[in-house]
Amino acid sequence: MQPSDMSAVDLVTAVRHGDLTALRATEAFLERIERLDGQINAFLSVDREGALRTAAAIDEKRKKGQPLGPLAGLPVAVKDALCTFDQPTTCASKMLAGFRPPYDAEVVARLRAADAVIVGKTNMDEFAMGGSNENSAFGPVHNPWDLTRAPGGSSGGSAACVAADMAPVAIGSDTGGSIRQPAGLCGITGLKPTYGRVSRRGLVAFASSLDQIGPMARSAGDCALLLETIAGHDPGDATSLESPVPPYGADLDRPLEGVRIGRVPAHFGAGLCPEVAHAVEEAFAAFRAAGATIIDIDMPHADAGVATYYLIAPCEASSNLARYDGAHYGHRAEPGRLHPAEPGGHRAEPGKGSGASGGGFESALVEMYCRSRAEGFGPEVKRRIMLGTYALSAGYYDAYYAKALKVRRLIRQDYLDAFEKVDLIGGPVSATAAFKLGEKSGDPLAMYLVDLYTVCTNLAGVGGISFPCGFTKGGLPIGFQLQAPALAEPLLLRATDRYQHLTDWHRRRPAIAARPR
Ligand code: GLN
């Protein structure tokens, strides 16, 4: 069997038993990246040498009989929003082009300590703002199922590289759906853990009260393997939870008898593509066949989710992104272009020049900030900064931001009430299968509505998983979402694993992933 056909669980077992070397596994995936990524653009950087060096060191360790980490020899692709000291970290923004962080994100450090092999950094929407990957400053990612379509976003590169077998697993981040939605549109499995389950230290911040890192893989079993390594308390992230990390892979086989899954009738309203509705209903039927009980429930404030999210997330983003001013962090505009008397110059006083003293210096400094930000950020990031700055401004704070926080509380209460009646909530991830590149990019509101089914999970701080539950007639994957109470990741993974034992949607591969003869 080729390494790219193996599950991550089988791959690490084979390496541990000496049936496969870490080097051979790594080479196999690097070869696929070289062959396929020209068409997909899932990677912003590939660390071929570093990956081969790490893999060789793991094989050496094994030869010497030294203990191996739980992910020994497993190639992992990491979203470019996580800091890596030995590879660029750009967040798909010109603002951070060429940036090499001085340290590893906690998740990256844990992957390395577990002997995983980091093969490269994946493409994404700039600063994780978007749902199609079209907001990347380095070109969109193409969906492996149909290269003319979007892979979803913002972790589109991570989803696409797993879908095309360019990596067995990847790391994504999810602020309003960015793991689950691209997983759904690319036919893979992606888990957004409970807020605080995984350390955010070293994740470039978008909206700090919503951001969460999680695993993306071909199955629940592989997600469980990865989550076990990356989850857990980190004193370096004040919001990380102290509760112990259970063995996520240990309990997957337990049947679903007695598990109650909520179904929200309002999810099936206008706007949901009939093919998606059909596949989602079929998935509920499969869960019923697996022993679960399906119960209709109401989430009365869910329809306010998108409006609430698109206030809170931009507000937090406008604050988090203030640090990119060309002086403290980020791209700095060329000094030659900083003449204060130029049209549009900020507080420029003609005749004063841009000397290093008095008002001239100040105006040149402000000008430098303005130009650096104008040049470094793309249009969607600028839109969010303006939305957030406006909603936080003195005159509007109560009307927008404070009100959004109150609605967030109501949405959270919906979840608490629902989880009195059910153990999980099921439903669609997205209203449609993958849309065409360019189809929504000119219409921000249409793009924001793509997040209808995913944003409430983050607003409530609970966990969610998405996995394939069928295909459209045109051959595009359709995703199913399960959400669970805080820290119920074991149940999310178990329910998904049970479903994946009854069905084979998650085993289907896009034609582009087929091996050449
Ligand atoms: N699509 C959403 C947005 O544009 C979610 C992004 C995310 O989860 N990072 O904000």
Side-chain angles (χ1 to χ4, degrees):
M1 197 189 254
Q2 295 293 324
S4 57
D5 295 331
M6 298 166 81
S7 73
V9 171
D10 288 347
L11 195 149
V12 297
T13 310
V15 170
R16 178 156 314 111
H17 293 163
D19 300 331
L20 173 68
T21 62
L23 199 56
R24 173 142 181 273
T26 304
E27 278 168 350
F29 285 99
L30 288 171
E31 182 273 321
R32 292 183 65 84
I33 295 171
E34 246 154 60
R35 186 154 54 80
L36 300 176
D37 204 38
Q39 298 169 75
I40 296 176
N41 200 27
F43 284 90
L44 292 177
S45 57
V46 176
D47 183 18
R48 192 185 162 78
E49 276 174 27
L52 293 173
R53 211 180 317 116
T54 307
I58 292 162
D59 290 333
E60 200 51 41
K61 248 178 150 175
R62 188 180 177 278
K63 252 197 243 152
K64 289 186 185 147
Q66 292 169 354
L68 294 180
L71 301 183
L74 181 69
V76 182
V78 175
K79 186 175 183 177
D80 209 29
L82 278 83
C83 288
T84 41
F85 82 90
D86 57 351
Q87 290 177 56
T89 299
T90 68
C91 248
S93 181
K94 273 195 231 152
M95 188 52 102
L96 286 175
F99 173 59
R100 279 186 183 256
Y103 69 102
D104 273 338
E106 176 67 14
V107 163
V108 172
R110 286 183 190 219
L111 290 171
R112 292 194 211 271
D115 285 331
V117 178
I118 295 171
V119 288
K121 305 292 292 292
T122 57
N123 204 348
M124 53 185 283
D125 284 299
E126 183 177 6
F127 283 102
M129 298 176 193
S132 69
N133 232 288
E134 292 165 292
N135 297 336
S136 167
F138 306 111
V141 176
H142 298 261
N143 191 315
W145 293 92
D146 175 348
L147 297 174
T148 67
R149 291 179 188 268
S154 64
S155 312
S158 289
C161 79
V162 172
D165 292 339
M166 292 190 284
V169 294
I171 295 290
S173 70
D174 189 314
T175 304
S178 280
I179 289 175
R180 293 159 290 153
Q181 183 253 20
L185 300 191
C186 288
I188 66 158
T189 305
L191 172 77
K192 182 209 97 72
T194 305
Y195 183 76
R197 179 68 294 189
V198 177
S199 166
R200 292 181 295 111
R201 194 171 64 86
L203 168 71
V204 177
F206 163 11
S208 307
S209 78
L210 302 163
D211 296 341
Q212 186 59 197
I213 297 170
M216 303 175 80
R218 288 177 295 210
S219 67
D222 286 356
C223 282
L225 176 74
L226 205 54
L227 185 62
E228 220 166 292
T229 288
I230 64 173
H233 182 240
D234 168 18
D237 170 1
T239 62
S240 94
L241 298 171
E242 290 199 26
S243 67
V245 177
Y248 292 111
D251 194 31
L252 298 177
D253 298 344
R254 199 145 57 80
L256 294 184
E257 261 76 33
V259 172
R260 301 161 301 170
I261 305 181
R263 176 187 169 280
V264 185
H267 282 165
F268 295 86
L272 182 66
C273 158
E275 280 187 289
V276 174
H278 177 73
V280 166
E281 295 287 28
E282 293 278 296
F284 276 117
F287 277 113
R288 205 176 283 119
T293 313
I294 312 300
I295 300 171
D296 276 359
I297 57 161
D298 196 17
M299 301 292 278
H301 300 95
D303 57 354
V306 170
T308 307
Y309 172 84
Y310 278 99
L311 278 166
I312 293 176
C315 284
E316 294 187 19
S318 70
S319 166
N320 274 327
L321 270 56
R323 72 189 69 167
Y324 303 102
D325 58 10
H328 299 90
Y329 288 95
H331 164 82
R332 179 180 298 183
E334 285 293 321
R337 303 193 50 206
L338 294 177
H339 201 284
E342 257 183 75
H346 197 90
R347 285 205 270 152
E349 292 179 44
K352 274 223 169 148
S354 58
S357 68
F361 174 76
E362 195 195 323
S363 62
L365 181 66
V366 172
E367 182 81 6
M368 189 275 284
Y369 289 156
C370 294
R371 282 187 177 268
S372 297
R373 288 169 71 81
E375 290 172 10
F377 291 134
E380 181 59 28
V381 174
K382 286 178 186 158
R383 184 177 296 118
R384 307 263 180 134
I385 291 173
M386 285 189 275
L387 280 171
T389 307
Y390 182 82
L392 287 175
S393 60
Y396 295 101
Y397 184 96
D398 285 338
Y400 293 116
Y401 182 64
K403 185 149 188 187
L405 290 182
K406 289 179 189 164
V407 182
R408 180 179 189 174
R409 181 68 183 81
L410 294 172
I411 290 170
R412 196 174 142 66
Q413 191 60 45
D414 282 357
Y415 278 87
L416 296 174
D417 294 345
F419 290 131
E420 296 276 312
K421 301 180 201 107
V422 294
D423 306 298
L424 294 166
I425 301 170
V429 188
S430 306
T432 66
F435 44 90
K436 289 265 185 196
L437 287 164
E439 189 181 318
K440 297 183 198 283
S441 50
D443 183 350
L445 197 58
M447 264 317 309
Y448 297 171
L449 287 170
V450 166
D451 305 325
L452 186 67
Y453 297 117
T454 51
V455 290
C456 289
T457 323
N458 304 71
L459 290 167
V462 299
I465 193 167
S466 124
F467 51 89
C469 68
F471 282 78
T472 64
K473 284 188 203 77
L476 298 171
I478 297 172
F480 190 85
Q481 173 172 236
L482 285 173
Q483 301 172 83
L487 293 177
E489 281 81 12
L491 179 58
L492 280 176
L493 289 162
R494 170 157 72 99
T496 307
D497 183 72
R498 292 299 83 209
Y499 177 83
Q500 292 180 335
H501 271 80
L502 283 177
T503 57
D504 72 348
W505 306 117
H506 65 294
R507 292 188 197 283
R508 307 215 178 168
R509 319 260 34 99
I512 195 173
R515 210 173 316 288
R517 314 224 160 251

